[in-house]
Amino acid sequence: MSIDNALRELVREEVERLLPTLLPGREEYLTTKEVAELTGLSVQFFEIGRSRDAADQPPYSRVGRRIIYRRSEVEKWLEERRRGA
């Protein structure tokens, strides 16, 4: 990866991270890596699930080559799987 591409990716990630705080009320979107960190599951769990079109996956969108998840939908997906208590 060239320095230009690395810098572009870094800026893109930082803008995505800061955008919800700059524009309150706007939906927050997460990358597969961020969803994995939020849920405690692996990135591969989501990648394999998407490739198999598995029903037990949170909803996602494809924008170009990027996969993004709405935080609210991921949180709802987690809540639907809650057991006990």
Side-chain angles (χ1 to χ4, degrees):
M1 180 182 283
S2 72
I3 292 176
D4 287 342
N5 288 341
L7 185 57
R8 281 188 187 102
E9 182 64 23
L10 182 63
V11 168
R12 184 179 301 120
E13 289 173 1
E14 191 65 13
V15 167
E16 287 176 4
R17 186 181 71 78
L18 292 174
L19 208 51
T21 60
L22 299 173
L23 300 171
R26 182 189 158 125
E27 181 71 47
E28 181 179 2
Y29 290 91
L30 304 171
T31 64
T32 303
K33 181 180 176 186
E34 291 168 328
V35 172
E37 290 170 359
L38 177 68
T39 62
L41 300 168
S42 68
V43 169
Q44 290 79 13
F45 172 83
F46 297 102
E47 290 174 344
I48 291 168
R50 284 194 313 267
S51 72
R52 294 183 179 168
D53 203 22
D56 192 27
Q57 291 277 312
Y60 67 92
S61 297
R62 183 178 303 274
V63 180
R65 296 184 311 165
R66 296 181 57 101
I67 300 294
I68 56 174
Y69 298 82
R70 287 183 178 171
R71 177 182 279 277
S72 61
E73 291 180 340
V74 172
E75 289 171 349
K76 179 181 175 190
W77 179 78
L78 284 171
E79 190 62 31
E80 290 169 352
R81 280 144 191 79
R82 189 167 181 237
R83 301 285 188 259

